[in-house]
Amino acid sequence: MFDLAHPPAGFVENPFPHYDSLLRDSPVTPQPDGSYLICRHADLNAIYRDTTTYISDKKQAFAPKFGPGTPLYEHHTTSLVFNDPPLHTRVRRIMTSALTPRALASMEPGLIATVDDLLDRMPQEPDLIEDFASVIPIQIIGNLLDIPTSERGPLRDWSLAILGALEPTLTEAQLAKGHAAVSEFKVYLQDLIARRRADPGDPDTDVLTRLIAGDSNGQLSEIELIHNCIFILNAGHETTTNLIGNGLALLHDYPDQKSRLLNDLTLIDKAVEEVLRFRSPNQFGNRETTVEVEIGGHRIPTGSNLHLCIGAANRDPEVFENPTQFDISRQPNRHLAFAGGPHVCVGLTLARMEGRIAIEHFLRRYPDYEFSNQRIPGGRIRFHGYQSLPARLL
């Protein structure tokens, strides 16, 4: 039986053959700890849309994992992604109101300038993660919250440590690092919020000012405000880094598809969607059952934790023709990289825009890039990407 907490050798680096086997032989797999691994696209799609039977609240699951009252427990049970109405509704409404089409359109020139500046300063042998993919979302999310440029240095390390704590199994060192990151981030944000209260920004473009002000239904508490600021940074950082890094890696590894894109850059939007499907930056979601349910012939008890395998669902042959083929012109492409239903990623339009501009501008400048030394995988099960992509720019 496949055990997500103790996966087979090579799974972290290349889980996709294992997903194919699970889809074929065991699309609903009971886990030794009483949870269930769910792989089919139709099952995930139905679960995402039923917020009564399947809830996002993780207090029960995270208490033994992090310890009640600890920094990681406080964060991951307060942020948007692991909450249900009414908190989820309130916070999402405020965030959505700050990410209007007009606001996103106004961000595009700054995003293009950021990408082009990075390309102008790119060394001849860069690390495409450290020197490019990871820098872009930090700058964009930093701009959204209007974090002074000089104060953005620790943001990536905090984010990696906090999100790393969502892995199925943790060492004591990883747990301690995650707790410390939440605590340090909270201290920083308390000061930033105090400064913003004293000197508010433009609520049409400053998401922090918008979050502080709340809406007609009220304001967030200080703890809700702090942890959802952390969530915005985390959600917009590692996943977008992985989208850009995975995209450049895939186009390098599939030169026929790279040539197609270079010959017709109007395919860039479809190419980004195919990267999201083929190498989803976020490979897993989670839900908890509120009643006994039956999925794939399995009777699943109330209070069971479900591991929703996005990476497998996006290779489901019932939905995708030739699912193991990387095809930048794939249409339709009903992937679940951004989840679905009421919890569909609030920043999906921004993430797509970042991926499109970063990949297109990089290819225009350096169409014949090559990878130099050994790539270093990200080492995560939940988040799939690279820690390092050393390259040569030809």
Side-chain angles (χ1 to χ4, degrees):
M1 181 182 71
F2 182 90
D3 182 358
L4 187 61
H6 302 92
F11 176 80
V12 175
E13 294 76 20
N14 184 18
F16 304 103
H18 300 280
Y19 293 160
D20 296 337
S21 296
L22 286 166
L23 282 164
R24 183 180 62 250
D25 302 326
S26 184
V28 178
T29 305
Q31 298 293 286
D33 64 359
S35 61
Y36 290 79
L37 179 62
I38 314 294
C39 294
R40 280 190 298 233
H41 189 284
D43 292 334
L44 265 67
N45 201 35
I47 290 167
Y48 280 136
R49 282 159 175 74
D50 184 350
T51 58
T52 302
T53 306
Y54 307 100
I55 59 172
S56 297
D57 185 288
K58 291 294 178 292
K59 293 182 179 66
Q60 178 177 302
F62 285 163
K65 183 180 180 74
F66 300 133
T70 60
L72 282 168
Y73 178 84
E74 181 184 84
H75 171 66
H76 286 305
T77 58
T78 307
S79 70
L80 180 71
V81 70
F82 294 123
N83 262 284
D84 298 298
L87 176 62
H88 176 269
T89 305
R90 287 194 296 131
V91 178
R92 185 181 179 89
R93 185 170 50 235
I94 296 169
M95 288 185 186
T96 302
S97 70
L99 294 173
T100 62
R102 185 169 68 89
L104 290 170
S106 72
M107 292 173 59
E108 185 161 346
L111 173 57
I112 291 172
T114 295
V115 169
D116 286 343
D117 179 62
L118 289 172
L119 293 172
D120 288 342
R121 297 185 289 108
M122 191 82 72
Q124 202 63 34
E125 296 191 354
D127 180 339
L128 295 184
I129 301 300
E130 188 69 28
D131 297 321
F132 189 61
S134 70
V135 183
I136 295 165
I138 286 290
Q139 297 306 322
I140 299 309
I141 302 300
N143 292 344
L144 271 180
L145 297 176
D146 199 17
I147 297 174
T149 303
S150 62
E151 298 174 9
R152 298 179 186 182
L155 298 181
R156 185 185 182 210
D157 286 342
W158 285 337
S159 176
L160 291 173
I162 294 167
L163 290 177
L166 293 174
E167 289 293 281
T169 57
L170 297 172
T171 66
E172 287 298 319
Q174 289 171 320
L175 196 60
K177 190 173 182 179
H179 287 315
V182 174
S183 298
E184 291 167 13
F185 211 157
K186 281 179 63 179
V187 169
Y188 172 73
L189 285 171
Q190 285 168 339
D191 176 65
L192 181 68
I193 290 166
R195 284 183 274 157
R196 196 61 47 81
R197 289 188 192 277
D199 184 18
D202 179 354
D204 287 336
T205 57
D206 178 1
V207 173
L208 180 53
T209 294
R210 179 70 67 93
L211 288 170
I212 290 170
D215 61 13
S216 59
N217 294 284
Q219 294 178 308
L220 301 176
S221 70
E222 191 77 0
I223 287 297
E224 291 169 347
L225 177 60
I226 287 170
H227 285 299
N228 282 288
C229 286
I230 295 175
F231 162 74
I232 290 170
L233 174 80
N234 291 351
H237 166 240
E238 183 164 15
T239 51
T240 306
T241 297
N242 290 349
L243 167 58
I244 297 168
N246 290 350
L248 294 175
L250 284 167
L251 290 167
H252 175 275
D253 296 345
Y254 291 84
D256 60 322
Q257 297 300 302
K258 186 178 78 168
S259 294
R260 289 181 68 196
L261 184 54
L262 285 168
N263 289 331
D264 182 7
L265 282 167
T266 65
L267 289 171
I268 186 63
D269 289 326
K270 289 180 180 177
V272 168
E273 296 305 306
E274 182 67 345
V275 172
L276 287 163
R277 181 195 74 86
F278 199 74
R279 291 288 185 272
S280 298
N282 183 15
Q283 293 283 301
F284 285 91
N286 295 90
R287 292 294 186 272
E288 188 175 296
T289 58
T290 61
V291 296
E292 184 180 81
V293 297
E294 182 173 339
I295 306 175
H298 292 261
R299 299 297 299 178
I300 299 177
T302 302
S304 296
N305 188 30
L306 307 182
H307 307 282
L308 308 182
C309 189
I310 296 166
N314 284 347
R315 297 169 70 88
D316 190 337
E318 294 297 317
V319 177
F320 302 100
E321 185 178 353
N322 299 320
T324 61
Q325 179 179 332
F326 180 62
D327 177 6
I328 64 165
S329 62
R330 184 178 296 275
Q331 187 70 25
N333 194 342
R334 298 187 297 274
H335 64 76
L336 294 172
F338 294 117
H343 275 272
V344 68
C345 175
V346 70
L348 80 173
T349 304
L350 178 58
R352 283 170 165 143
M353 183 170 73
E354 291 180 75
R356 169 176 57 81
I357 290 171
I359 293 171
E360 179 179 347
H361 282 236
F362 183 90
L363 287 178
R364 287 182 184 276
R365 190 80 64 95
Y366 301 111
D368 299 317
Y369 65 99
E370 293 180 350
F371 292 127
S372 50
N373 300 313
Q374 183 66 37
R375 312 176 203 184
I376 301 177
R380 306 280 188 92
I381 289 176
R382 186 181 180 104
F383 298 99
H384 188 79
Y386 293 91
Q387 180 181 331
S388 178
L389 276 176
R392 284 191 298 268
L393 304 181
L394 304 177

